[in-house]
Amino acid sequence: MATVEDILLPDIGDFSDVEVIEILVAPGDRIEAEQSILSLESDKATIEIPSPLAGVILELKIKIGDRVSRGDLLMTLETEGMQSGEAQTGEAPAVSGAARAASGAAVPAATTTQSPKAPPPRPASAGQTISVVLPDIGDFADIPVVEVLIAPGDRIEVDQSLLTLESEKATMEIPSPNAGIVEELAVKVGDNLNQGDLILTLRTDTEADRGEPSATSEPMAASTAEELEAPPGPASIAKRAPGESERRPAPVLPRPEDMAAIAKGRKAHASPAVRRFARELGVDLTFVKGSGPKGRVLKDDVQGFVKQALAQGAPTAAGAALPFALPAAPEIDFAKFGPVEVAELSRIKKLSGRHLHRCWLSVPHVTQFDEADITSLEAFRNAQKATAAEKGIKLTFVPFLLKAVATALSRMPILKASLTADGEGLVLKHFTHIGVAVDTPQGLVVPVVRDVDKKGIYALAAELSELGEKARTGKLLPGDMQGGCFTISSLGGIGGTAFTPIVNSPEVAILGVSRAATKPFWNGQTFEPRLMLPLSLSYDHRVVDGADGARFTSLLGDLLGDLRQVLL
């Protein structure tokens, strides 16, 4: 029997008045238990909130920008029966260990009230060699190590981060429970860890006996956590501020041993959020001077470093200097010229803007312009529109373009390859997933049509219509925008004669299509009118040579001129 349930915000740890930054569902959607329904963002973490029940959403009670706390009403849900004990009692469901870890909520420290199974704290004595193990970090298992932040011989302080773990939901830094000198590391990048696994052996010094929890004390607070977002698509980009632990020792001046460790390459002291932010900007944190406690690098430090690098050509990634200096953009008070107002960019435009800016700076672009004679193709499309309409399909030009592009890519696979992360190799893809840019009221999004080479015109037209509707209503899932190997941006319905699209990295090419126009064409004896389609192919010149770019547009023009060649 169907019932109507109120879905409340569960316990997300020591957080209140948290801002809603994204709503992942809409009224009328059917959702499953544990499906994410919205995203919250605090000053320490971004958290996705799962639904405790399955059913159909009747009404949303929140909107983007609202601030919510535990127990606040999120939505009403029509269920087909009780799904959990929490719903039957009317209580807010308890948050999972993963969500608590992602929110940055601390597991009780060893000095607080413990459950009966918790061992008593045992301070480490000066000069003692102890084993540092992975503490309780919530409901996680087999968590991969993505960064090791110290090296044998390093002197570390209490609460200094040792390594970074990354699960499907969160990135966490593991702090040291004692001060001392690292004798031996027992983990490396790529290892999978569980609670109690050995991380390192540590020789304590005279500063270790401060009443801090020892390495053998099971419970411990994770210093920082941040939520990970899914595809990437144009949508996967850092925006979170670094969080600071409440328990901070007083700042200390660098010791000679510390300076020596830095000189031999020890990694900077920074939170996972700051490290990801730096990676997105291509900044090597070893060059950034931290302004936080103990020289901890903050987000503001990274931003300041980038500004300095752009202005002076300072080193950014791998010690390489910028090849030129960019003057700082002046701040202009436009109000002195007349009335103004400031409107905030939509979330999609902010995310896509940062991605496009990064692509423009990191990819050496070349754009090849060409034209395709689509006179015969357009006549064929018009002849098939009635048949398509009987099937409930709107037959536009784009499905034909997709089919021709897929064939061209199969004959010239270099155009759908990607560079490896080190830039030394190519990833050759044996699939043809093509992204199609869609203009929405919130901004540009790029859903991906999969296996274009294996589908017919009608199937492609139906799928394009469905993806376009989902894009305009904000119902695209992250998976709908991931996995593309080539992108098409069509402005033919709006106008223009040519443009230079930005390569959607890590792809190596993008095709821009402008409005077709009837032009006089000399057939050898007379001029005749032909419908010509402008093509603009931008490509990554590290992968695609100019000759290959010209060959691709020429091949595509031949395929569009006679689509029967697709069958060859």
Side-chain angles (χ1 to χ4, degrees):
M1 179 178 179
T3 60
V4 176
E5 300 287 347
D6 289 340
I7 304 301
L8 310 180
L9 183 67
D11 179 10
I12 55 173
D14 188 20
F15 289 89
S16 62
D17 199 32
V18 188
E19 183 181 1
V20 178
I21 62 168
E22 192 172 16
I23 297 176
L24 307 174
V25 293
D29 286 358
R30 177 176 293 278
I31 60 174
E32 301 298 329
E34 298 302 320
Q35 178 177 334
S36 297
I37 55 178
L38 56 90
S39 298
L40 307 179
E41 185 173 81
S42 71
D43 59 347
K44 290 187 177 181
T46 300
I47 314 157
E48 281 194 2
I49 303 301
S51 172
L53 305 172
V56 177
I57 298 174
L58 296 179
E59 184 179 5
L60 288 174
K61 299 294 186 178
I62 42 89
K63 61 183 183 298
I64 292 176
D66 285 353
R67 309 189 77 87
V68 294
S69 300
R70 177 182 178 180
D72 285 352
L73 180 62
L74 303 180
M75 65 182 185
T76 56
L77 188 72
E78 183 181 40
T79 67
E80 296 180 355
M82 292 298 181
Q83 303 290 326
S84 68
E86 292 85 359
Q88 294 171 4
T89 60
E91 296 177 358
V95 70
S96 67
R100 183 178 295 278
S103 68
V107 180
T111 54
T112 62
T113 303
Q114 301 295 327
S115 62
K117 68 176 182 179
R122 295 184 298 172
S125 302
Q128 176 185 359
T129 297
I130 63 172
S131 296
V132 178
V133 299
L134 185 68
D136 179 9
I137 54 173
D139 188 19
F140 289 90
D142 293 328
I143 318 169
V145 177
V146 295
E147 281 185 295
V148 178
L149 308 175
I150 42 84
D154 284 358
R155 178 183 296 277
I156 60 175
E157 300 295 330
V158 175
D159 279 342
Q160 179 173 334
S161 296
L162 304 175
L163 50 87
T164 305
L165 306 179
E166 186 171 271
S167 72
E168 294 179 354
K169 288 286 186 179
T171 301
M172 295 159 278
E173 281 191 0
I174 303 303
S176 174
N178 294 91
I181 296 176
V182 178
E183 289 194 334
E184 183 179 1
L185 275 175
V187 297
K188 61 183 183 300
V189 174
D191 287 351
N192 292 326
L193 300 184
N194 294 285
Q195 178 181 340
D197 286 351
L198 179 65
I199 297 175
L200 55 87
T201 55
L202 185 73
R203 186 174 75 251
T204 60
D205 58 21
T206 56
E207 297 178 352
D209 193 5
R210 296 177 178 177
E212 299 289 348
S214 73
T216 57
S217 297
E218 191 177 39
M220 181 182 295
S223 64
T224 308
E226 93 173 315
E227 176 97 8
L228 286 178
E229 297 180 3
S236 210
I237 311 239
K239 61 188 180 318
R240 305 171 180 89
E244 294 293 337
S245 173
E246 294 181 358
R247 183 180 63 188
R248 290 289 175 202
V252 295
L253 295 176
R255 303 173 182 177
E257 297 92 338
D258 293 329
M259 298 303 294
I262 292 174
K264 65 182 181 183
R266 188 182 74 181
K267 294 198 175 184
H269 185 31
S271 72
V274 173
R275 290 185 183 281
R276 176 174 297 163
F277 181 66
R279 286 197 298 268
E280 291 289 340
L281 296 179
V283 173
D284 187 340
L285 287 177
T286 57
F287 292 101
V288 182
K289 182 179 180 181
S291 61
K294 295 186 189 177
R296 185 182 183 91
V297 179
L298 307 179
K299 185 177 181 180
D300 289 342
D301 300 328
V302 178
Q303 290 174 326
F305 178 81
V306 171
K307 290 179 181 179
Q308 181 183 8
L310 292 175
Q312 302 178 6
T316 52
L322 291 174
F324 53 84
L326 297 176
E331 292 189 10
I332 301 174
D333 180 14
F334 295 100
K336 66 183 180 181
F337 305 116
V340 299
E341 64 174 309
V342 177
E344 186 176 3
L345 286 172
S346 69
R347 178 176 173 79
I348 289 179
K349 285 190 175 180
K350 289 179 182 178
L351 295 174
S352 62
R354 286 193 288 266
H355 174 67
L356 291 172
H357 187 212
R358 184 171 63 252
C359 293
W360 181 252
L361 291 176
S362 63
V363 175
H365 281 68
V366 176
T367 303
Q368 169 73 26
F369 300 99
D370 210 332
E371 286 185 321
D373 185 347
I374 61 169
T375 308
S376 300
L377 175 56
E378 187 64 9
F380 176 73
R381 184 182 74 87
N382 287 327
Q384 298 300 313
K385 288 172 68 174
T387 303
E390 293 176 359
K391 300 177 181 291
I393 297 173
K394 183 179 180 181
L395 192 59
T396 65
F397 172 72
V398 178
F400 297 92
L401 178 62
L402 274 171
K403 200 65 180 176
V405 168
T407 302
L409 290 173
S410 68
R411 299 182 187 179
M412 297 187 63
I414 190 71
L415 272 293
K416 62 176 182 177
S418 288
L419 276 171
T420 56
D422 59 7
E424 299 295 325
L426 280 179
V427 179
L428 300 174
K429 303 162 191 172
H430 300 294
F431 56 85
T432 307
H433 305 337
I434 300 178
V436 180
V438 177
D439 184 28
T440 74
Q442 292 77 34
L444 191 71
V445 294
V446 187
V448 174
V449 183
R450 302 186 182 280
D451 297 317
V452 176
D453 54 330
K454 300 177 183 178
K455 296 175 181 176
I457 296 296
Y458 286 163
L460 291 173
E463 189 170 346
L464 280 170
S465 178
E466 179 183 353
L467 288 173
E469 181 62 24
K470 289 173 68 175
R472 286 183 285 273
T473 56
K475 294 183 179 180
L476 283 175
L477 299 176
D480 294 331
M481 297 180 286
Q482 296 175 358
C485 55
F486 189 89
T487 297
I488 294 175
S489 180
S490 176
L491 301 179
I494 301 173
T497 57
F499 64 105
T500 55
I502 298 176
V503 173
N504 184 23
S505 180
E507 298 169 14
V508 298
I510 180 173
L511 178 68
V513 179
S514 300
R515 174 176 288 176
T518 301
K519 297 182 178 181
F521 177 80
W522 180 253
N523 62 13
Q525 295 180 342
T526 60
F527 284 101
E528 59 177 319
R530 307 296 293 180
L531 185 62
M532 306 301 292
L533 179 72
L535 304 175
S536 305
L537 178 74
S538 290
Y539 52 87
D540 186 336
H541 208 1
R542 295 172 298 179
V543 178
V544 182
D545 294 334
D548 283 336
R551 290 189 188 101
F552 185 84
T553 56
S554 178
L555 172 60
L556 182 59
D558 290 342
L559 293 171
L560 291 171
D562 187 357
L563 207 60
R564 291 174 297 181
Q565 296 185 70
V566 172
L567 302 175
L568 299 179

